[in-house]
Amino acid sequence: MEAASLAHGVASPLSPREGMIKNVSLESLQLCERDGKAEDTGVVGMEELPVARNIKISNITCDSFKICWDMDPHTKEKITHYFIDLNKKENKNSNKFKHKDVPTKLVAKAVPLPMTVRGHWFLSPRTEYTVAVQTASKQTDGDYAVSEWSDIVEFCTADYSSVHLTQLLQKAEVIAGRMLKFSVFYRNQHEEYFQHCRDVLGGRMMPSVKDNSGSHGSPLSGKLEGIVFSCNTEFNTGQPPQDSPYGRVRFQVPAEVLFPPDTRLYFGDFYCMYTAYHYVILVLAPRGSSGDLYCSERLPELDVTNNRFLTRVCGEDGRVVFQHAQDVILELIYTEPVPLAQGTVSQISGHQLMSLSTINAKKDPSCKTCNISVGR
């Protein structure tokens, strides 16, 4: 498991980090929105104030981080405020905090370091940022004397934590709808895909790294390996639909093959693509597998007999009944190889509806149904 934070390591380009930090409130942290000319900003010329050096970023989450730096101890008492310039890294032409046409930046009272910077209104998950610091001294007339800018350092915010994923889970439960019975999992592809499985992969479908579809903060994208299946059925027939965005050749496998008693079920994501359809990503991981170990450290686990999305229930007569949610489209990631011999491969009679493909689909950031307040 990756470290939960960069423990006071030098802030340089980082990989996304998992984990949480304590809920430290920074009441002195404010958003400073100023417009106009230099005389309107209340900032005066440079004074002998210490320049922030050796900036360190730590305790990185999807929407917060801690920052500290070194200063000349003999001049610390002069400092009353910090000016923090935070920009997304890809914005290479971002304006510095020059006090002439000042954009929205962070102004904090000079609290003890390290200082927590938190706020979903300007921090997004899995995003690279640059940060620089000025120290400042508020004068008796209300103006500020400021130091030179520190060096610019870079860091990357983390994935959603289990807390954030639980919030998504709760939102998805609201619209999941009633449960419908099903009996098979299925996967659509082109004939070339299945021929490659036969000729090169020993007759097996092999896991691959999940694409970037769904929530930007998902800990699955670009990390978890698996094979994507569907299980949704048509309301009027109880059978899988005859149309698919992914190809007209379908592999179909009995539900009990991929969802036996020793397979664990995890909630992975909830999103939409600027349409009325909402998608829920679930992970099926055989107990003790590498996929199970990865998910158990990051995702909410679901009770396979009692949840709003996908269930496996053994009745009094000993028969196992599988059910799926009616009002969301389930994308099921199975984390292990699947032999083609365990199911059947055949052509479907419907069309390939490319517009419904979710490959690398971007989540609608404006949807109130499937977004939480920690970025998208």
Side-chain angles (χ1 to χ4, degrees), residues 75-107:
T75 53
K76 278 186 177 181
E77 64 275 5
K78 296 182 180 180
I79 300 170
T80 63
H81 290 79
Y82 306 133
F83 295 162
I84 300 176
D85 182 30
L86 185 67
N87 293 289
K88 288 187 178 181
K89 184 181 176 182
E90 60 265 28
N91 187 7
K92 300 182 184 299
N93 298 318
S94 60
N95 292 324
K96 293 296 294 178
F97 195 178
K98 293 299 186 182
H99 317 306
K100 292 184 179 180
D101 184 14
V102 183
T104 299
K105 298 294 174 181
L106 297 173
V107 175

mmCIF file of all heavy atoms in Angstrom, residues 75-107:
data_model
loop_
_atom_site.group_PDB
_atom_site.id
_atom_site.type_symbol
_atom_site.label_atom_id
_atom_site.label_comp_id
_atom_site.label_asym_id
_atom_site.label_seq_id
_atom_site.Cartn_x
_atom_site.Cartn_y
_atom_site.Cartn_z
ATOM 1 N N THR A 75 13.727 36.933 12.229
ATOM 2 C CA THR A 75 12.750 37.865 11.648
ATOM 3 C C THR A 75 11.327 37.314 11.654
ATOM 4 O O THR A 75 10.422 37.931 11.117
ATOM 5 C CB THR A 75 13.158 38.191 10.197
ATOM 6 O OG1 THR A 75 13.342 36.969 9.473
ATOM 7 C CG2 THR A 75 14.443 39.000 10.156
ATOM 8 N N LYS A 76 11.132 36.148 12.283
ATOM 9 C CA LYS A 76 9.807 35.545 12.310
ATOM 10 C C LYS A 76 8.767 36.428 12.968
ATOM 11 O O LYS A 76 7.601 36.447 12.588
ATOM 12 C CB LYS A 76 9.861 34.195 13.036
ATOM 13 C CG LYS A 76 10.333 33.035 12.187
ATOM 14 C CD LYS A 76 10.204 31.728 12.973
ATOM 15 C CE LYS A 76 10.609 30.549 12.103
ATOM 16 N NZ LYS A 76 10.468 29.265 12.841
ATOM 17 N N GLU A 77 9.200 37.159 14.004
ATOM 18 C CA GLU A 77 8.224 37.953 14.758
ATOM 19 C C GLU A 77 7.613 39.076 13.933
ATOM 20 O O GLU A 77 6.571 39.616 14.288
ATOM 21 C CB GLU A 77 8.885 38.536 16.012
ATOM 22 C CG GLU A 77 9.998 39.529 15.748
ATOM 23 C CD GLU A 77 11.357 38.872 15.522
ATOM 24 O OE1 GLU A 77 11.410 37.615 15.478
ATOM 25 O OE2 GLU A 77 12.342 39.603 15.385
ATOM 26 N N LYS A 78 8.232 39.429 12.830
ATOM 27 C CA LYS A 78 7.681 40.478 11.975
ATOM 28 C C LYS A 78 6.482 39.998 11.146
ATOM 29 O O LYS A 78 5.709 40.817 10.648
ATOM 30 C CB LYS A 78 8.749 40.991 11.005
ATOM 31 C CG LYS A 78 9.941 41.674 11.662
ATOM 32 C CD LYS A 78 10.894 42.171 10.583
ATOM 33 C CE LYS A 78 12.112 42.861 11.187
ATOM 34 N NZ LYS A 78 13.029 43.347 10.125
ATOM 35 N N ILE A 79 6.356 38.694 10.981
ATOM 36 C CA ILE A 79 5.375 38.154 10.039
ATOM 37 C C ILE A 79 4.002 38.078 10.685
ATOM 38 O O ILE A 79 3.836 37.541 11.780
ATOM 39 C CB ILE A 79 5.802 36.757 9.563
ATOM 40 C CG1 ILE A 79 7.159 36.834 8.864
ATOM 41 C CG2 ILE A 79 4.758 36.155 8.621
ATOM 42 C CD1 ILE A 79 7.754 35.473 8.581
ATOM 43 N N THR A 80 3.009 38.612 9.982
ATOM 44 C CA THR A 80 1.622 38.518 10.457
ATOM 45 C C THR A 80 0.751 37.662 9.542
ATOM 46 O O THR A 80 -0.276 37.150 9.975
ATOM 47 C CB THR A 80 0.991 39.916 10.554
ATOM 48 O OG1 THR A 80 0.942 40.504 9.244
ATOM 49 C CG2 THR A 80 1.780 40.819 11.502
ATOM 50 N N HIS A 81 1.159 37.521 8.259
ATOM 51 C CA HIS A 81 0.342 36.785 7.298
ATOM 52 C C HIS A 81 1.225 36.023 6.310
ATOM 53 O O HIS A 81 2.417 36.348 6.144
ATOM 54 C CB HIS A 81 -0.571 37.738 6.502
ATOM 55 C CG HIS A 81 -1.678 38.325 7.321
ATOM 56 N ND1 HIS A 81 -1.471 39.375 8.186
ATOM 57 C CD2 HIS A 81 -2.997 38.015 7.404
ATOM 58 C CE1 HIS A 81 -2.621 39.687 8.772
ATOM 59 N NE2 HIS A 81 -3.551 38.873 8.309
ATOM 60 N N TYR A 82 0.618 35.032 5.655
ATOM 61 C CA TYR A 82 1.243 34.323 4.545
ATOM 62 C C TYR A 82 0.367 34.512 3.313
ATOM 63 O O TYR A 82 -0.859 34.435 3.397
ATOM 64 C CB TYR A 82 1.349 32.818 4.832
ATOM 65 C CG TYR A 82 2.043 32.463 6.120
ATOM 66 C CD1 TYR A 82 1.480 31.528 6.984
ATOM 67 C CD2 TYR A 82 3.262 33.033 6.468
ATOM 68 C CE1 TYR A 82 2.106 31.175 8.167
ATOM 69 C CE2 TYR A 82 3.899 32.695 7.652
ATOM 70 C CZ TYR A 82 3.307 31.765 8.501
ATOM 71 O OH TYR A 82 3.931 31.430 9.681
ATOM 72 N N PHE A 83 0.994 34.752 2.167
ATOM 73 C CA PHE A 83 0.302 34.762 0.879
ATOM 74 C C PHE A 83 0.691 33.474 0.157
ATOM 75 O O PHE A 83 1.881 33.200 -0.022
ATOM 76 C CB PHE A 83 0.705 35.964 0.032
ATOM 77 C CG PHE A 83 0.289 37.297 0.607
ATOM 78 C CD1 PHE A 83 0.894 38.469 0.164
ATOM 79 C CD2 PHE A 83 -0.702 37.385 1.570
ATOM 80 C CE1 PHE A 83 0.517 39.694 0.679
ATOM 81 C CE2 PHE A 83 -1.089 38.596 2.089
ATOM 82 C CZ PHE A 83 -0.483 39.765 1.648
ATOM 83 N N ILE A 84 -0.302 32.693 -0.258
ATOM 84 C CA ILE A 84 -0.051 31.391 -0.881
ATOM 85 C C ILE A 84 -0.616 31.401 -2.295
ATOM 86 O O ILE A 84 -1.811 31.624 -2.492
ATOM 87 C CB ILE A 84 -0.683 30.256 -0.057
ATOM 88 C CG1 ILE A 84 -0.083 30.253 1.355
ATOM 89 C CG2 ILE A 84 -0.462 28.910 -0.740
ATOM 90 C CD1 ILE A 84 -0.703 29.237 2.284
ATOM 91 N N ASP A 85 0.240 31.191 -3.263
ATOM 92 C CA ASP A 85 -0.151 31.176 -4.678
ATOM 93 C C ASP A 85 -0.257 29.723 -5.139
ATOM 94 O O ASP A 85 0.738 29.017 -5.245
ATOM 95 C CB ASP A 85 0.902 31.921 -5.502
ATOM 96 C CG ASP A 85 0.537 31.984 -6.976
ATOM 97 O OD1 ASP A 85 -0.657 31.988 -7.279
ATOM 98 O OD2 ASP A 85 1.458 32.020 -7.813
ATOM 99 N N LEU A 86 -1.475 29.264 -5.386
ATOM 100 C CA LEU A 86 -1.744 27.872 -5.733
ATOM 101 C C LEU A 86 -2.334 27.807 -7.130
ATOM 102 O O LEU A 86 -3.354 28.434 -7.409
ATOM 103 C CB LEU A 86 -2.715 27.277 -4.714
ATOM 104 C CG LEU A 86 -3.056 25.795 -4.818
ATOM 105 C CD1 LEU A 86 -1.837 24.931 -4.497
ATOM 106 C CD2 LEU A 86 -4.197 25.456 -3.869
ATOM 107 N N ASN A 87 -1.711 27.063 -8.024
ATOM 108 C CA ASN A 87 -2.170 26.954 -9.409
ATOM 109 C C ASN A 87 -2.098 25.522 -9.880
ATOM 110 O O ASN A 87 -1.222 24.759 -9.466
ATOM 111 C CB ASN A 87 -1.292 27.804 -10.345
ATOM 112 C CG ASN A 87 -1.441 29.283 -10.088
ATOM 113 O OD1 ASN A 87 -2.468 29.866 -10.396
ATOM 114 N ND2 ASN A 87 -0.411 29.889 -9.514
ATOM 115 N N LYS A 88 -3.019 25.160 -10.769
ATOM 116 C CA LYS A 88 -2.897 23.868 -11.437
ATOM 117 C C LYS A 88 -1.650 23.895 -12.311
ATOM 118 O O LYS A 88 -1.377 24.869 -13.008
ATOM 119 C CB LYS A 88 -4.131 23.575 -12.283
ATOM 120 C CG LYS A 88 -5.355 23.235 -11.451
ATOM 121 C CD LYS A 88 -6.508 22.790 -12.327
ATOM 122 C CE LYS A 88 -7.712 22.404 -11.474
ATOM 123 N NZ LYS A 88 -8.852 21.953 -12.296
ATOM 124 N N LYS A 89 -0.926 22.789 -12.309
ATOM 125 C CA LYS A 89 0.354 22.749 -13.004
ATOM 126 C C LYS A 89 0.224 22.974 -14.496
ATOM 127 O O LYS A 89 1.072 23.620 -15.114
ATOM 128 C CB LYS A 89 1.050 21.412 -12.739
ATOM 129 C CG LYS A 89 2.435 21.329 -13.348
ATOM 130 C CD LYS A 89 3.065 19.979 -13.062
ATOM 131 C CE LYS A 89 4.412 19.855 -13.761
ATOM 132 N NZ LYS A 89 5.014 18.518 -13.536
ATOM 133 N N GLU A 90 -0.863 22.480 -15.088
ATOM 134 C CA GLU A 90 -0.983 22.591 -16.536
ATOM 135 C C GLU A 90 -1.175 24.031 -17.006
ATOM 136 O O GLU A 90 -0.996 24.340 -18.161
ATOM 137 C CB GLU A 90 -2.131 21.733 -17.058
ATOM 138 C CG GLU A 90 -3.499 22.085 -16.497
ATOM 139 C CD GLU A 90 -3.870 21.231 -15.309
ATOM 140 O OE1 GLU A 90 -2.930 20.776 -14.611
ATOM 141 O OE2 GLU A 90 -5.064 21.008 -15.080
ATOM 142 N N ASN A 91 -1.551 24.909 -16.065
ATOM 143 C CA ASN A 91 -1.706 26.322 -16.416
ATOM 144 C C ASN A 91 -0.356 27.004 -16.320
ATOM 145 O O ASN A 91 -0.035 27.689 -15.351
ATOM 146 C CB ASN A 91 -2.720 26.981 -15.474
ATOM 147 C CG ASN A 91 -3.039 28.408 -15.891
ATOM 148 O OD1 ASN A 91 -2.608 28.851 -16.954
ATOM 149 N ND2 ASN A 91 -3.787 29.106 -15.056
ATOM 150 N N LYS A 92 0.465 26.817 -17.337
ATOM 151 C CA LYS A 92 1.843 27.279 -17.287
ATOM 152 C C LYS A 92 1.960 28.800 -17.327
ATOM 153 O O LYS A 92 2.972 29.376 -16.941
ATOM 154 C CB LYS A 92 2.643 26.679 -18.444
ATOM 155 C CG LYS A 92 2.672 25.159 -18.419
ATOM 156 C CD LYS A 92 3.515 24.606 -19.543
ATOM 157 C CE LYS A 92 3.465 23.092 -19.564
ATOM 158 N NZ LYS A 92 3.973 22.482 -18.345
ATOM 159 N N ASN A 93 0.926 29.489 -17.797
ATOM 160 C CA ASN A 93 0.987 30.952 -17.910
ATOM 161 C C ASN A 93 0.206 31.656 -16.814
ATOM 162 O O ASN A 93 -0.198 32.800 -16.960
ATOM 163 C CB ASN A 93 0.445 31.391 -19.275
ATOM 164 C CG ASN A 93 1.273 30.823 -20.418
ATOM 165 O OD1 ASN A 93 2.492 30.807 -20.350
ATOM 166 N ND2 ASN A 93 0.603 30.345 -21.457
ATOM 167 N N SER A 94 -0.005 30.967 -15.686
ATOM 168 C CA SER A 94 -0.772 31.576 -14.597
ATOM 169 C C SER A 94 -0.044 32.798 -14.053
ATOM 170 O O SER A 94 1.178 32.818 -13.940
ATOM 171 C CB SER A 94 -1.004 30.560 -13.486
ATOM 172 O OG SER A 94 0.231 30.110 -12.971
ATOM 173 N N ASN A 95 -0.814 33.813 -13.731
ATOM 174 C CA ASN A 95 -0.237 35.029 -13.191
ATOM 175 C C ASN A 95 0.196 34.823 -11.750
ATOM 176 O O ASN A 95 -0.493 34.214 -10.956
ATOM 177 C CB ASN A 95 -1.264 36.176 -13.234
ATOM 178 C CG ASN A 95 -1.569 36.600 -14.644
ATOM 179 O OD1 ASN A 95 -0.682 36.591 -15.487
ATOM 180 N ND2 ASN A 95 -2.813 36.957 -14.902
ATOM 181 N N LYS A 96 1.343 35.385 -11.399
ATOM 182 C CA LYS A 96 1.763 35.350 -10.008
ATOM 183 C C LYS A 96 0.961 36.389 -9.231
ATOM 184 O O LYS A 96 0.279 37.240 -9.786
ATOM 185 C CB LYS A 96 3.264 35.649 -9.900
ATOM 186 C CG LYS A 96 4.137 34.572 -10.495
ATOM 187 C CD LYS A 96 3.992 33.257 -9.760
ATOM 188 C CE LYS A 96 4.531 33.398 -8.367
ATOM 189 N NZ LYS A 96 4.372 32.152 -7.594
ATOM 190 N N PHE A 97 1.059 36.295 -7.918
ATOM 191 C CA PHE A 97 0.326 37.177 -7.017
ATOM 192 C C PHE A 97 1.083 38.509 -6.973
ATOM 193 O O PHE A 97 1.872 38.769 -6.076
ATOM 194 C CB PHE A 97 0.285 36.497 -5.641
ATOM 195 C CG PHE A 97 -0.707 37.054 -4.671
ATOM 196 C CD1 PHE A 97 -0.834 36.470 -3.429
ATOM 197 C CD2 PHE A 97 -1.502 38.132 -4.973
ATOM 198 C CE1 PHE A 97 -1.731 36.952 -2.507
ATOM 199 C CE2 PHE A 97 -2.410 38.624 -4.061
ATOM 200 C CZ PHE A 97 -2.519 38.031 -2.826
ATOM 201 N N LYS A 98 0.855 39.359 -7.985
ATOM 202 C CA LYS A 98 1.681 40.554 -8.168
ATOM 203 C C LYS A 98 1.105 41.810 -7.550
ATOM 204 O O LYS A 98 1.711 42.868 -7.623
ATOM 205 C CB LYS A 98 1.910 40.797 -9.673
ATOM 206 C CG LYS A 98 2.766 39.724 -10.341
ATOM 207 C CD LYS A 98 4.159 39.627 -9.750
ATOM 208 C CE LYS A 98 5.020 38.662 -10.541
ATOM 209 N NZ LYS A 98 6.359 38.512 -9.982
ATOM 210 N N HIS A 99 -0.097 41.705 -6.978
ATOM 211 C CA HIS A 99 -0.711 42.829 -6.264
ATOM 212 C C HIS A 99 -1.172 43.955 -7.182
ATOM 213 O O HIS A 99 -1.437 45.047 -6.711
ATOM 214 C CB HIS A 99 0.224 43.401 -5.203
ATOM 215 C CG HIS A 99 0.932 42.348 -4.422
ATOM 216 N ND1 HIS A 99 0.275 41.335 -3.783
ATOM 217 C CD2 HIS A 99 2.257 42.131 -4.193
ATOM 218 C CE1 HIS A 99 1.149 40.550 -3.180
ATOM 219 N NE2 HIS A 99 2.356 41.007 -3.419
ATOM 220 N N LYS A 100 -1.249 43.698 -8.470
ATOM 221 C CA LYS A 100 -1.780 44.704 -9.382
ATOM 222 C C LYS A 100 -3.177 44.301 -9.851
ATOM 223 O O LYS A 100 -4.122 45.062 -9.722
ATOM 224 C CB LYS A 100 -0.830 44.884 -10.576
ATOM 225 C CG LYS A 100 0.499 45.510 -10.161
ATOM 226 C CD LYS A 100 1.380 45.779 -11.368
ATOM 227 C CE LYS A 100 2.694 46.436 -10.936
ATOM 228 N NZ LYS A 100 3.581 46.714 -12.097
ATOM 229 N N ASP A 101 -3.270 43.135 -10.425
ATOM 230 C CA ASP A 101 -4.578 42.598 -10.795
ATOM 231 C C ASP A 101 -4.664 41.244 -10.116
ATOM 232 O O ASP A 101 -4.357 40.219 -10.694
ATOM 233 C CB ASP A 101 -4.701 42.473 -12.317
ATOM 234 C CG ASP A 101 -6.090 42.008 -12.739
ATOM 235 O OD1 ASP A 101 -6.988 42.041 -11.887
ATOM 236 O OD2 ASP A 101 -6.248 41.625 -13.903
ATOM 237 N N VAL A 102 -5.057 41.242 -8.868
ATOM 238 C CA VAL A 102 -4.887 40.084 -8.011
ATOM 239 C C VAL A 102 -6.026 39.089 -8.201
ATOM 240 O O VAL A 102 -7.182 39.434 -7.961
ATOM 241 C CB VAL A 102 -4.811 40.515 -6.528
ATOM 242 C CG1 VAL A 102 -4.556 39.291 -5.645
ATOM 243 C CG2 VAL A 102 -3.703 41.527 -6.340
ATOM 244 N N PRO A 103 -5.751 37.859 -8.647
ATOM 245 C CA PRO A 103 -6.806 36.854 -8.756
ATOM 246 C C PRO A 103 -7.130 36.284 -7.381
ATOM 247 O O PRO A 103 -6.595 36.710 -6.372
ATOM 248 C CB PRO A 103 -6.169 35.789 -9.652
ATOM 249 C CG PRO A 103 -4.708 35.899 -9.366
ATOM 250 C CD PRO A 103 -4.452 37.354 -9.079
ATOM 251 N N THR A 104 -8.030 35.321 -7.344
ATOM 252 C CA THR A 104 -8.369 34.688 -6.077
ATOM 253 C C THR A 104 -7.181 33.868 -5.590
ATOM 254 O O THR A 104 -6.767 32.917 -6.233
ATOM 255 C CB THR A 104 -9.592 33.777 -6.241
ATOM 256 O OG1 THR A 104 -10.684 34.590 -6.662
ATOM 257 C CG2 THR A 104 -9.940 33.093 -4.944
ATOM 258 N N LYS A 105 -6.640 34.248 -4.450
ATOM 259 C CA LYS A 105 -5.506 33.561 -3.845
ATOM 260 C C LYS A 105 -5.786 33.352 -2.368
ATOM 261 O O LYS A 105 -6.767 33.848 -1.827
ATOM 262 C CB LYS A 105 -4.215 34.376 -4.037
ATOM 263 C CG LYS A 105 -3.821 34.583 -5.478
ATOM 264 C CD LYS A 105 -3.444 33.273 -6.151
ATOM 265 C CE LYS A 105 -3.187 33.451 -7.626
ATOM 266 N NZ LYS A 105 -2.844 32.198 -8.300
ATOM 267 N N LEU A 106 -4.893 32.621 -1.705
ATOM 268 C CA LEU A 106 -5.065 32.332 -0.297
ATOM 269 C C LEU A 106 -4.265 33.306 0.553
ATOM 270 O O LEU A 106 -3.089 33.546 0.290
ATOM 271 C CB LEU A 106 -4.608 30.908 0.002
ATOM 272 C CG LEU A 106 -5.389 29.800 -0.683
ATOM 273 C CD1 LEU A 106 -4.721 28.455 -0.435
ATOM 274 C CD2 LEU A 106 -6.806 29.779 -0.166
ATOM 275 N N VAL A 107 -4.912 33.862 1.552
ATOM 276 C CA VAL A 107 -4.251 34.699 2.547
ATOM 277 C C VAL A 107 -4.513 34.075 3.903
ATOM 278 O O VAL A 107 -5.668 33.802 4.251
ATOM 279 C CB VAL A 107 -4.774 36.149 2.521
ATOM 280 C CG1 VAL A 107 -4.146 36.954 3.649
ATOM 281 C CG2 VAL A 107 -4.474 36.793 1.178
#
